[in-house]
């Protein structure tokens, strides 16, 4: 390494040697796969995003300017290379609840199980890579890291860099690790040797298309993000009625298309402590305590996790929907409390819907009492529809 440093500093930059050293360093700091891509514009992706925008299917929580998302030279005019990394979050923990405890519990997407928000973990690794490049070249390195929050399309950068390939569910699959990975990238003015893309296919397999509970995978490699439960469980406001029952127990995110995928059956767990289930919430958190949690409890339970950014009320809204789908009468009293006392109408509306789904005399009384004092037209409509649902259940029993 000393000879390479001397060669680099004397002007004899060898992109191949520097790239090899960078990859060895990446492995030492816990990066499972790293690849290098060119800075050419992502033209196919730009066309696809514009087509999605025209039919109101543009991905949420992302940069709205298509050219800004797909032109690396807009991220850095001096850019010469893109560095893509993948870090596995797969552990050998199973999504299970204590046997026979009788408590209504939710499902949480595996990426959000751990006590550490992956944004911080990957950002730290990317900063270490930048420092390594700075040290190796001895010159001013310009580099900007991105972890799921900037304009780059992480999966497209990863595919071009040979980190993984696209499955029909539009997830990127990394050899040995499947799609259970976090992705991040760096745009830099350092010239590195690009990697070749990986060419693999799903063949005739369509398990992910068939399993998607909302039909969000509209065709191989085509996703309607407005129907994806990963988005729906994080969206602001009121969850559309058509998606509530398909949510089932999904409190946050959705792994269904990944769980059914044969490529993922071969993935090896890395068992990083940062991504193991937290002792408080586990992989199957209790739902009723989430309805009753204070702001202080939310900060303690969720503060360091990947779920924290959406806030307490999104979690409570989703918990109401999950409890309605489970249908356990022990949730009626906490749901009544949310319906009568919550400051957010979207939570009150979700509580009303859940009470209607559970049904029974106690649920009906709670709905009728809330209707007498409710002022939100949206919540009043939810109460009216919930009463109709409860009446239909009673008539058919």
């Amino acid at each position: 390494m000393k000879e390479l440093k001397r060669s680099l500093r004397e002007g004899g930059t060898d992109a191949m040697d520097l790239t090899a050293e960078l990859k060895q360093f990446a492995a030492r700091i816990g990066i499972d796969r790293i690849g290098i891509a060119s800075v050419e514009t992502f033209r196919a992706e730009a066309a696809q995003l514009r087509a999605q925008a025209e039919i109101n299917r543009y991905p949420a929580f992302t940069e709205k300017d298509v050219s800004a998302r797909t032109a690396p030279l807009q991220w850095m005019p001096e850019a010469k290379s893109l560095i893509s990394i993948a870090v596995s979050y797969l552990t050998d923990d199973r999504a299970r609840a204590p046997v026979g405890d009788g408590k209504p519990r939710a499902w949480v997407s595996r990426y959000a199980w751990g006590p550490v928000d992956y944004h911080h973990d990957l950002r730290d690794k990317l900063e270490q890579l930048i420092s390594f490049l700075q040290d190796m070249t001895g010159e001013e390195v310009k580099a900007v890291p991105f972890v799921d929050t900037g304009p780059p399309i992480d999966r497209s950068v990863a595919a071009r860099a040979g980190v993984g390939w696209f499955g029909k569910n539009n997830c990127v699959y990394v050899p040995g690790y499947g799609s259970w990975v976090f992705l991040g990238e760096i745009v830099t003015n350092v010239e590195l040797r690009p990697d070749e893309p990986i060419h693999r296919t799903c063949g005739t397999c369509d398990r992910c298309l068939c399993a998607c509970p909302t039909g969000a995978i509209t065709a191989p490699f085509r996703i309607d993000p407005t129907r994806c439960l990963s988005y729906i469980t994080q969206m602001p406001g009121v969850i559309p009625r058509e998606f509530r029952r398909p949510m089932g127990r999904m409190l946050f995110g959705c792994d269904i298309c990944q769980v059914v995928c044969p490529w993922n059956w071969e993935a090896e767990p890395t068992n990083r402590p940062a991504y193991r289930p937290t002792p408080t919430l586990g992989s199957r958190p209790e739902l009723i305590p989430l309805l009753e949690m204070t702001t202080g409890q939310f900060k303690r339970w969720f503060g360091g996790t990947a779920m924290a950014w959406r806030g307490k009320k999104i979690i409570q809204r989703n918990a109401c929907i999950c409890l309605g789908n489970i249908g356990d009468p022990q949730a009626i009293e906490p749901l009544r409390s949310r319906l009568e006392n919550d400051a957010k109408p979207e939570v009150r509306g979700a509580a009303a819907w859940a009470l209607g789904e559970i049904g029974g005399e106690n649920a009906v009384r709670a709905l009728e009492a809330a209707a007498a004092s409710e002022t939100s037209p949206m919540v009043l409509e939810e109460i009216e529809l919930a009463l109709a649902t409860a009446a239909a259940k009673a008539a058919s029993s």
Side-chain angles (χ1 to χ4, degrees), residues 39-46 70-72 160:
V39 295
E40 295 175 10
T41 297
F42 291 87
R43 301 188 186 282
E45 287 81 355
T70 55
R160 179 184 288 182

Side-chain angles (χ1 to χ4, degrees), residues 26 29-34 84-90 118 121-122 125 163 174 177 179-184 270 272 275:
I29 63 172
I31 293 172
D32 294 310
R33 193 169 178 93
I34 180 172
S84 174
I85 69 167
V87 174
S88 168
Y89 59 85
L90 183 62
Y118 69 92
D121 186 29
L122 264 68
K125 287 176 168 49
V163 166
V174 177
Y177 304 102
S179 62
W180 309 110
V181 294
F182 296 127
L183 301 173
T270 52
R272 292 188 167 93
Y275 305 133

Side-chain angles (χ1 to χ4, degrees), residues 23-330:
K23 290 181 176 181
Q24 291 178 23
F25 177 74
R28 291 199 296 273
I29 63 172
I31 293 172
D32 294 310
R33 193 169 178 93
I34 180 172
I36 311 300
S38 71
V39 295
E40 295 175 10
T41 297
F42 291 87
R43 301 188 186 282
E45 287 81 355
Q48 178 62 26
L49 285 172
R50 292 190 178 98
Q52 287 180 262
E54 289 177 0
I55 56 175
N56 295 318
R57 290 184 179 177
Y58 195 88
F61 310 127
T62 60
E63 168 64 52
K64 300 304 180 186
D65 184 341
V66 171
S67 63
R69 293 199 70 192
T70 55
L73 293 180
Q74 288 195 32
W75 312 338
M76 176 185 290
E78 311 91 337
K80 294 182 180 178
S81 303
L82 298 176
I83 304 170
S84 174
I85 69 167
V87 174
S88 168
Y89 59 85
L90 183 62
T91 68
D92 55 15
D93 302 281
R94 295 181 62 188
R96 61 168 53 178
V99 176
D101 72 350
K103 298 174 181 178
R105 292 177 178 271
W107 291 93
V108 172
S109 183
R110 184 179 280 273
Y111 82 87
W113 285 3
V116 176
D117 186 337
Y118 69 92
H119 294 90
H120 305 308
D121 186 29
L122 264 68
R123 180 84 180 206
D124 176 68
K125 287 176 168 49
L126 293 172
E127 294 287 359
Q128 290 185 64
L129 292 179
I130 293 171
S131 296
F132 179 84
L133 288 173
Q134 179 73 60
D135 183 55
M136 292 297 292
T137 61
E139 300 174 356
E140 181 183 3
V141 169
K142 292 185 177 181
V144 181
F146 299 102
V147 184
D148 201 28
T149 53
I153 305 173
D154 304 316
R155 289 169 296 175
S156 294
V157 175
R160 179 184 288 182
V163 166
W165 71 95
F166 279 105
K168 287 181 180 178
N169 60 359
N170 232 29
C171 290
V172 163
Y173 287 79
V174 177
Y177 304 102
S179 62
W180 309 110
V181 294
F182 296 127
L183 301 173
E185 54 274 329
I186 297 169
V187 57
T188 180
N189 66 337
V190 176
E191 186 172 355
L192 298 165
R193 184 174 67 118
D195 288 288
E196 291 294 324
I198 299 173
H199 298 289
R200 295 188 186 179
T201 73
C202 300
T204 60
C205 179
D206 61 357
R207 288 173 179 264
C208 59
L209 282 82
C210 297
C212 180
T214 60
I217 309 175
T218 58
F221 313 105
R222 290 291 178 263
I223 308 295
D224 180 351
T226 66
R227 301 188 64 83
C228 179
L229 286 181
S230 185
Y231 162 69
I232 289 164
T233 57
Q234 299 178 62
M235 68 181 290
V238 177
I239 293 178
R241 297 181 68 84
E242 67 174 302
F243 299 128
R244 295 176 191 176
R245 287 177 180 169
M247 271 179 63
R249 301 184 184 206
M250 297 295 181
L251 180 72
F252 197 87
C254 179
D255 288 339
I256 291 175
C257 71
Q258 299 183 86
V259 170
V260 302
C261 177
W263 285 118
N264 277 333
W265 302 348
E266 302 172 5
E268 289 293 331
T270 52
N271 289 325
R272 292 188 167 93
Y275 305 133
R276 283 195 180 278
T278 62
T280 304
L281 296 173
S283 60
R284 296 286 308 284
E286 289 184 55
L287 285 162
I288 290 176
L290 300 183
L291 290 191
E292 301 168 334
M293 70 179 163
T294 64
T295 299
Q297 287 173 322
F298 173 78
K299 290 179 180 178
R300 289 196 300 274
W301 297 349
F302 292 93
T305 73
M307 289 189 278
W309 79 285
R310 293 310 290 142
K312 182 177 76 167
K313 291 304 175 184
I314 293 291
I315 298 297
Q316 290 183 318
R317 177 202 64 187
N318 295 353
C320 290
I321 301 296
C322 292
L323 286 166
N325 285 322
I326 293 170
D328 192 326
Q330 67 180 298

